[in-house]
């Protein structure tokens, strides 16, 4: 797709041509690879577009065959690629990886992205009209690590200036991409400038020596919404009610924050009792920046094919539910469902479930949600085939 008016979401960042191994094992022993695409922000863009949203991906690629493939592949998901610029002097980035979990010692990733077209992104060569063309701008910490110019662009986009869109930021701490140890401080500063932040409990511990959701929120009081991914334990969202309604001062899309009143998705409890929507502790949290409502939702049981791309998919599911104005607990559940779609395919991108199916699964009671188990092919199943206890 080459152009859409009034995008709901703009995603900025590098995407690369990805080579997946034809069989498990070290890269040295893999005889062949399958070509696909991968990149944190373009993954989010593709997942959101596949879920029915109007999305624009903004980036730079080389004037080469890999760039052609990348733009065509992203556009095939329904993403507007009119904001992608071609660089005649720098190549499109590529990378190779093993089929193992990124968290294990056996996992290997080899990047060929130094000096790539995307690493040349800067405040001077990225069009403001592209970056500000949506209600929500999604960024990640990976972009900041690519070059000094990219970092300058990220600082400009996370500066709290009047009229900017709602800024979503996924920390995405990648230690091997940073040229010096200051990257961890940079990521914290960028997160503080965002309106909505995604961070893993494990990466907050590794990057900032912060342990537990309360410590992370204390270090990041500025974002209106903070989503803490806790792996197999699920996810927690801190939501501070906006000072204004509808689009608000930061250009936020319509959203329905969970308030102390009961809702169809669960009942608030000042003591963290189990909610009807799931095993969700939902309670008020007083802070200098205002009152937080805190909701936790357990993760799904998933038969994992490949773990790569789940974090990006979770962000897409959460953002999709946010754009639809769903309550906080529903946003987390849709994040888990989209992550399950990515976990049950070999590549970075899994086809999301149909919206009606996702809404049905997200609306299960706590016990049924806890018993739900999803495996390969589940997003293509009919309502009867996805068994819900």
């Amino acid at each position: 797709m080459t152009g859409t008016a009034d995008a709901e979401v703009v995603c900025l960042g590098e995407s690369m041509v990805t080579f997946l191994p034809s069989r498990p094992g070290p890269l040295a022993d893999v005889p062949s690879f399958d070509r696909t695409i991968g990149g944190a922000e373009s993954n989010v863009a593709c997942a959101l577009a596949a879920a029915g949203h109007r999305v624009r991906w903004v980036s730079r690629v080389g004037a080469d065959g890999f760039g052609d493939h990348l733009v065509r592949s992203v556009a095939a998901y329904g993403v507007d690629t009119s904001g992608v610029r071609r660089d005649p002097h720098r190549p499109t980035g590529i990378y190779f990886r093993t089929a193992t979990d990124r968290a294990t010692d056996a996992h290997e990733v080899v990047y060929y992205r130094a000096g790539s077209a995307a690493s040349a992104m800067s405040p001077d060569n990225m069009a403001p009209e592209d970056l500000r063309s949506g209600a929500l701008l999604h960024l990640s910490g990976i972009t900041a690590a690519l070059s000094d110019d990219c970092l300058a662009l990220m600082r400009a986009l996370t500066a709290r200036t009047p009229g900017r869109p709602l800024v979503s930021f996924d920390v995405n701490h990648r230690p091997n991409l940073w040229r010096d140890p200051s990257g961890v401080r940079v990521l914290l500063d960028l997160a503080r400038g965002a309106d909505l932040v995604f961070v893993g409990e494990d990466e907050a511990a590794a990057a900032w020596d912060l342990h537990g959701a309360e410590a992370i929120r204390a270090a990041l009081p500025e974002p209106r919404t903070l989503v803490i991914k806790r792996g197999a334990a699920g996810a927690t969202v801190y939501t501070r009610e906006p000072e204004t309604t509808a689009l608000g001062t930061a250009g936020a899309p319509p959203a329905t924050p969970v308030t102390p009143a009961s809702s169809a998705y669960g009942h608030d409890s000042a003591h963290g009792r189990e909610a009807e929507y799931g095993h969700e502790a939902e309670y008020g949290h007083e802070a200098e920046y205002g009152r937080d409502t805190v909701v936790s939702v357990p993760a799904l049981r998933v038969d994992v094919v490949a773990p790569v791309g789940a974090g990006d998919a979770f962000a897409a599911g959460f953002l999709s539910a946010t754009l639809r104005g769903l309550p906080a607990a529903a946003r987390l559940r849709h994040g888990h469902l989209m992550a399950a779609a990515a976990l049950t395919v070999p590549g970075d991108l899994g086809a999301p479930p149909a919206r009606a199916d996702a809404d049905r699964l997200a609306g299960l009671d706590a016990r049924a949600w806890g018993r739900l188990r999803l495996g390969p092919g589940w997003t293509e199943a009919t309502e009867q085939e996805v068994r819900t206890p």
Side-chain angles (χ1 to χ4, degrees), residues 14-372:
E14 180 173 36
S15 191
M16 294 173 288
V17 174
T18 308
F19 291 91
L20 303 179
S22 58
R23 70 183 190 195
L27 289 179
D29 298 335
V30 175
S32 60
F33 297 82
D34 294 322
R35 184 182 67 173
T36 181
I37 62 171
E41 302 85 359
S42 64
N43 287 348
V44 172
C46 291
L48 281 170
H53 297 283
R54 301 184 307 279
V55 189
R56 177 171 291 131
W57 173 51
V58 178
S59 188
R60 292 174 68 85
V61 300
D64 50 34
F66 284 144
D68 294 341
H69 173 70
L70 196 55
V71 173
R72 282 200 305 263
S73 297
V74 173
Y77 282 87
V79 175
D80 176 354
T81 58
S82 62
V84 179
R85 301 291 179 257
R86 297 301 189 102
D87 190 323
H89 306 296
R90 298 176 180 86
T92 303
I94 64 174
Y95 79 98
F96 297 76
R97 68 170 173 84
T98 55
T100 49
D101 189 337
R102 180 185 284 128
T104 68
D105 293 337
H107 186 68
E108 296 177 74
V109 180
V110 179
Y111 290 106
Y112 296 92
R113 72 194 308 177
S116 69
S119 71
M121 292 188 295
S122 76
D124 297 327
N125 61 23
M126 302 306 290
E129 59 269 23
D130 289 333
L131 298 170
R132 290 178 173 261
S133 58
L136 186 150
L137 174 63
H138 181 71
L139 310 168
S140 101
I142 293 173
T143 303
L146 298 180
S147 68
D148 290 340
D149 283 341
C150 284
L151 176 55
L153 176 62
M154 290 291 290
R155 290 195 186 280
L157 294 175
T158 55
R160 294 189 179 275
T161 55
R164 77 173 193 180
L166 181 84
V167 174
S168 166
F169 179 73
D170 193 334
V171 172
N172 262 325
H173 179 225
R174 300 287 185 269
N176 293 338
L177 288 180
W178 288 94
R179 299 169 298 284
D180 59 67
S182 67
V184 295
R185 178 67 196 190
V186 168
L187 291 174
L188 192 61
D189 290 341
L190 294 174
R192 285 172 171 162
D195 302 295
L196 191 164
V197 171
F198 298 94
V199 63
E201 202 169 41
D202 56 347
E203 65 184 343
W208 306 320
D209 196 27
L210 296 173
H211 302 275
E214 289 290 326
I216 298 170
R217 183 50 159 170
L220 285 171
E222 296 88 351
R224 181 185 300 169
T225 303
L226 174 64
V227 180
I228 300 170
K229 297 171 288 183
R230 299 163 52 225
T236 297
V237 59
Y238 289 76
T239 306
R240 188 172 64 251
E241 292 193 41
E243 296 178 0
T244 57
T245 58
L247 293 184
T249 57
T256 307
V258 176
T259 66
S262 63
S263 75
Y265 292 92
H267 296 296
D268 178 79
S269 168
H271 306 289
R273 290 193 303 268
E274 181 176 341
E276 287 185 357
Y277 192 91
H279 188 70
E280 291 137 11
E282 186 176 315
Y283 53 91
H285 178 269
E286 295 291 347
E288 179 184 351
Y289 286 79
R291 179 179 174 83
D292 274 327
T293 297
V294 187
V295 178
S296 292
V297 172
L300 290 162
R301 294 184 297 165
V302 179
D303 297 327
V304 177
V305 173
V308 180
D312 304 327
F314 180 93
F318 186 93
L319 292 175
S320 174
T322 299
L323 291 165
R324 295 171 60 200
L326 300 184
R331 300 177 201 180
L332 290 176
R333 282 201 171 185
H334 278 276
H336 287 316
L337 288 165
M338 197 80 86
L343 288 167
T344 49
V345 297
D348 288 18
L349 291 164
R355 181 172 289 184
D357 289 337
D359 286 343
R360 178 178 62 84
L361 294 174
L364 294 173
D365 63 33
R367 280 194 186 141
W369 177 264
R371 291 197 300 263
L372 189 62

